[in-house]
Amino acid sequence: MPKQSPAGPEPGADPAPERGSGRVQSVERTFELLEAMSDLGGTAGLSQLAARLALPLPTIHRLVRTLVDLGYVRQQPSREYALGPRLMRLGEHASQLLGTWAMPYLRELVDEIGESANLAMLDGDHVVYTAQVPGVHAMRMFTEVGRRAQVHCTAVGKAMLALMPPEQADMIVAGSVMHPQTGHTIITPDGFRAELDRVREAGYAVDNEEQEIGVRCVAVAVPGRAPRAAVSISGPSPRMSDALIQQAVPLLRRAAEGVAGELEPLRPGTAQAG
C-alpha cells in the first residue's frame, strides 16, 4: 500500500521556522511586534500591525492576545492595543544598563572636550538623564541621573525629535505644555517646528540658555530606527563657544554611533558594511 505524503500547511498558516538557525520564530515575531507598536507611537490596531510586519491577521491576533494575558500589552476602549505597564520595569533596568554601557563613550568626550558629557533617553514628552561624566573644570555642569526635563528646552530632546518623522514629533509636542524655563525658551509649536528643521539640516541640536541661564549644551541623537537616546556636552556659556561646539559635534557623532552599537548590536547572519 503506497505511503501517503504528509499534508501541506493549511492556507494562511505561518510558514515553518528555519531549522538550524538557532532562533525561535515566535519569540522573534513577538519582539518585532512590540518594536512595531513602539514605532507607531505605542498604540496600534491589529490591521496596522499586520500590514507593518507582513504577517497574517490571525498570527498578529494570537501574539497580541498572549501579550495582553501577560500584561505587556493592553486593549484600549478604542479596541486598539497599547504597550502595557509590565514593560516599564524592563525599561527601567534597560535604561540603567544603557547608562553603564555608555560611560566609556562619555568619558572619552570629557577627555577630549573637558566639559560634562551626558546621556539622555526619551520618555513621552520628557527626557530622562541616564548617565553623566562630570567635566574637568572646577566650575562645571552637574545633572543628577534620573532627572527629567521637557523636550522643547533641551538639546537632547530636540536632537531626538528631529530624527523622527515630523508627524510623530508633532504628536509628542502636542501633548506637551511648553513652559518657558528662561527668556530664551521656544514656547510655540511653529517656532519649535522651525527649530527642528534647523536641527535636521545641521545634524545636531543646541540649547542656547533655553533651560538655564548661563548654560549651553550641544547634542547628537543616537542613530537607529526609532531614536530614543542622545548624547550631549554642556557647560557655562562663556566656555561653550560656537568654536567649541563645532569641535564637539564630530566627537558627539562618534560617541552616538558607539552607543548605537550597544543598543542594536549586529544581528546573527547579517554582514557589516565596510
Side-chain angles (χ1 to χ4, degrees), residues 19-47:
R19 294 183 179 180
S21 68
R23 296 160 71 171
V24 181
Q25 189 181 65
S26 59
V27 174
E28 192 172 45
R29 286 178 171 176
T30 298
F31 283 99
E32 287 174 347
L33 185 146
L34 290 171
E35 289 181 356
M37 291 185 72
S38 178
D39 292 346
L40 291 166
T43 303
L46 294 177
S47 58

Short mmCIF file of all heavy atoms in Angstrom, two decimals, residues 19-47:
data_model
loop_
_atom_site.label_atom_id
_atom_site.label_comp_id
_atom_site.label_asym_id
_atom_site.label_seq_id
_atom_site.Cartn_x
_atom_site.Cartn_y
_atom_site.Cartn_z
N ARG A 19 15.14 25.58 10.12
CA ARG A 19 15.85 24.70 11.03
C ARG A 19 17.33 25.06 11.05
O ARG A 19 17.91 25.47 10.06
CB ARG A 19 15.67 23.25 10.58
CG ARG A 19 14.23 22.76 10.69
CD ARG A 19 14.11 21.32 10.30
NE ARG A 19 12.74 20.84 10.43
CZ ARG A 19 12.36 19.61 10.15
NH1 ARG A 19 13.24 18.73 9.72
NH2 ARG A 19 11.09 19.26 10.29
N GLY A 20 17.93 24.84 12.20
CA GLY A 20 19.36 25.06 12.33
C GLY A 20 19.75 26.51 12.51
O GLY A 20 20.92 26.81 12.60
N SER A 21 18.80 27.42 12.54
CA SER A 21 19.14 28.82 12.69
C SER A 21 19.41 29.19 14.14
O SER A 21 20.05 30.19 14.42
CB SER A 21 18.02 29.71 12.14
OG SER A 21 16.87 29.59 12.95
N GLY A 22 18.90 28.38 15.06
CA GLY A 22 19.06 28.68 16.48
C GLY A 22 18.11 29.76 16.97
O GLY A 22 18.19 30.18 18.11
N ARG A 23 17.23 30.22 16.12
CA ARG A 23 16.30 31.29 16.50
C ARG A 23 14.88 30.74 16.53
O ARG A 23 14.49 29.94 15.70
CB ARG A 23 16.40 32.44 15.50
CG ARG A 23 17.77 33.10 15.51
CD ARG A 23 18.06 33.88 14.26
NE ARG A 23 17.28 35.10 14.19
CZ ARG A 23 17.49 36.04 13.27
NH1 ARG A 23 18.43 35.88 12.37
NH2 ARG A 23 16.75 37.13 13.24
N VAL A 24 14.12 31.19 17.55
CA VAL A 24 12.73 30.75 17.70
C VAL A 24 11.84 31.79 17.05
O VAL A 24 11.79 32.95 17.47
CB VAL A 24 12.37 30.58 19.20
CG1 VAL A 24 10.93 30.11 19.34
CG2 VAL A 24 13.33 29.58 19.85
N GLN A 25 11.12 31.38 16.01
CA GLN A 25 10.37 32.32 15.19
C GLN A 25 9.32 33.08 15.98
O GLN A 25 9.15 34.29 15.81
CB GLN A 25 9.72 31.58 14.02
CG GLN A 25 9.09 32.50 12.99
CD GLN A 25 8.44 31.71 11.88
OE1 GLN A 25 7.49 31.00 12.11
NE2 GLN A 25 8.97 31.83 10.68
N SER A 26 8.61 32.38 16.87
CA SER A 26 7.53 33.05 17.62
C SER A 26 8.09 34.12 18.54
O SER A 26 7.49 35.18 18.72
CB SER A 26 6.72 32.03 18.41
OG SER A 26 7.55 31.32 19.31
N VAL A 27 9.26 33.85 19.13
CA VAL A 27 9.89 34.85 20.00
C VAL A 27 10.33 36.05 19.17
O VAL A 27 10.13 37.22 19.55
CB VAL A 27 11.08 34.24 20.75
CG1 VAL A 27 11.83 35.30 21.54
CG2 VAL A 27 10.62 33.12 21.67
N GLU A 28 10.93 35.77 18.03
CA GLU A 28 11.39 36.85 17.14
C GLU A 28 10.22 37.74 16.71
O GLU A 28 10.31 38.97 16.74
CB GLU A 28 12.07 36.23 15.92
CG GLU A 28 12.84 37.23 15.08
CD GLU A 28 13.65 36.52 14.01
OE1 GLU A 28 13.10 35.61 13.36
OE2 GLU A 28 14.82 36.88 13.83
N ARG A 29 9.10 37.10 16.35
CA ARG A 29 7.94 37.87 15.91
C ARG A 29 7.33 38.68 17.05
O ARG A 29 6.84 39.79 16.84
CB ARG A 29 6.89 36.92 15.33
CG ARG A 29 7.26 36.40 13.96
CD ARG A 29 6.23 35.42 13.45
NE ARG A 29 6.47 35.09 12.05
CZ ARG A 29 5.75 34.21 11.37
NH1 ARG A 29 4.76 33.57 11.97
NH2 ARG A 29 6.03 33.96 10.11
N THR A 30 7.37 38.13 18.26
CA THR A 30 6.83 38.85 19.41
C THR A 30 7.56 40.16 19.62
O THR A 30 6.95 41.22 19.82
CB THR A 30 6.91 37.98 20.67
OG1 THR A 30 6.12 36.81 20.49
CG2 THR A 30 6.39 38.75 21.89
N PHE A 31 8.88 40.12 19.56
CA PHE A 31 9.64 41.35 19.78
C PHE A 31 9.54 42.29 18.59
O PHE A 31 9.55 43.52 18.77
CB PHE A 31 11.10 41.01 20.11
CG PHE A 31 11.28 40.54 21.53
CD1 PHE A 31 11.36 39.19 21.82
CD2 PHE A 31 11.30 41.44 22.57
CE1 PHE A 31 11.49 38.75 23.12
CE2 PHE A 31 11.44 41.02 23.89
CZ PHE A 31 11.53 39.66 24.17
N GLU A 32 9.42 41.75 17.39
CA GLU A 32 9.18 42.62 16.23
C GLU A 32 7.85 43.35 16.38
O GLU A 32 7.72 44.53 16.03
CB GLU A 32 9.19 41.80 14.95
CG GLU A 32 10.57 41.33 14.53
CD GLU A 32 10.53 40.40 13.33
OE1 GLU A 32 9.42 39.93 12.97
OE2 GLU A 32 11.61 40.13 12.75
N LEU A 33 6.86 42.66 16.93
CA LEU A 33 5.54 43.27 17.14
C LEU A 33 5.63 44.40 18.17
O LEU A 33 5.08 45.49 17.97
CB LEU A 33 4.54 42.21 17.59
CG LEU A 33 3.08 42.66 17.75
CD1 LEU A 33 2.13 41.52 17.36
CD2 LEU A 33 2.78 43.09 19.18
N LEU A 34 6.33 44.16 19.29
CA LEU A 34 6.47 45.20 20.32
C LEU A 34 7.22 46.41 19.77
O LEU A 34 6.87 47.56 20.05
CB LEU A 34 7.20 44.63 21.53
CG LEU A 34 6.41 43.61 22.37
CD1 LEU A 34 7.32 42.96 23.40
CD2 LEU A 34 5.22 44.27 23.05
N GLU A 35 8.26 46.16 18.96
CA GLU A 35 9.00 47.27 18.37
C GLU A 35 8.13 48.04 17.38
O GLU A 35 8.21 49.27 17.29
CB GLU A 35 10.26 46.74 17.68
CG GLU A 35 11.33 46.26 18.65
CD GLU A 35 12.58 45.78 17.95
OE1 GLU A 35 12.59 45.75 16.70
OE2 GLU A 35 13.54 45.42 18.65
N ALA A 36 7.31 47.31 16.63
CA ALA A 36 6.40 47.98 15.68
C ALA A 36 5.41 48.86 16.42
O ALA A 36 5.11 49.98 15.99
CB ALA A 36 5.66 46.94 14.83
N MET A 37 4.87 48.37 17.55
CA MET A 37 3.96 49.18 18.34
C MET A 37 4.65 50.44 18.84
O MET A 37 4.08 51.54 18.82
CB MET A 37 3.41 48.37 19.52
CG MET A 37 2.46 47.27 19.12
SD MET A 37 1.73 46.42 20.54
CE MET A 37 0.61 47.69 21.13
N SER A 38 5.89 50.31 19.26
CA SER A 38 6.65 51.47 19.73
C SER A 38 6.86 52.46 18.60
O SER A 38 6.68 53.67 18.77
CB SER A 38 7.99 51.01 20.31
OG SER A 38 8.77 52.11 20.72
N ASP A 39 7.22 51.96 17.41
CA ASP A 39 7.43 52.83 16.25
C ASP A 39 6.16 53.58 15.87
O ASP A 39 6.21 54.69 15.33
CB ASP A 39 7.92 52.02 15.05
CG ASP A 39 9.32 51.47 15.25
OD1 ASP A 39 10.00 51.92 16.20
OD2 ASP A 39 9.73 50.60 14.47
N LEU A 40 5.00 52.96 16.14
CA LEU A 40 3.72 53.58 15.81
C LEU A 40 3.19 54.47 16.92
O LEU A 40 2.03 54.86 16.91
CB LEU A 40 2.69 52.49 15.47
CG LEU A 40 2.94 51.72 14.16
CD1 LEU A 40 2.08 50.47 14.09
CD2 LEU A 40 2.67 52.62 12.96
N GLY A 41 4.04 54.79 17.89
CA GLY A 41 3.64 55.69 18.97
C GLY A 41 3.13 55.00 20.21
O GLY A 41 2.63 55.64 21.12
N GLY A 42 3.25 53.66 20.27
CA GLY A 42 2.84 52.92 21.47
C GLY A 42 1.45 52.35 21.39
O GLY A 42 1.07 51.54 22.24
N THR A 43 0.66 52.75 20.41
CA THR A 43 -0.72 52.27 20.25
C THR A 43 -0.96 51.94 18.78
O THR A 43 -0.56 52.71 17.91
CB THR A 43 -1.74 53.33 20.70
OG1 THR A 43 -1.47 53.67 22.07
CG2 THR A 43 -3.16 52.80 20.61
N ALA A 44 -1.60 50.79 18.52
CA ALA A 44 -1.84 50.40 17.13
C ALA A 44 -2.99 49.41 17.07
O ALA A 44 -3.32 48.74 18.05
CB ALA A 44 -0.58 49.77 16.53
N GLY A 45 -3.60 49.31 15.90
CA GLY A 45 -4.64 48.33 15.63
C GLY A 45 -4.04 47.08 15.02
O GLY A 45 -2.92 47.08 14.51
N LEU A 46 -4.80 45.98 15.05
CA LEU A 46 -4.30 44.72 14.53
C LEU A 46 -3.97 44.82 13.04
O LEU A 46 -2.94 44.30 12.60
CB LEU A 46 -5.35 43.62 14.76
CG LEU A 46 -5.63 43.25 16.22
CD1 LEU A 46 -6.73 42.20 16.29
CD2 LEU A 46 -4.37 42.73 16.89
N SER A 47 -4.82 45.49 12.27
CA SER A 47 -4.56 45.59 10.84
C SER A 47 -3.30 46.40 10.55
O SER A 47 -2.54 46.09 9.62
CB SER A 47 -5.77 46.21 10.12
OG SER A 47 -6.06 47.49 10.65
#
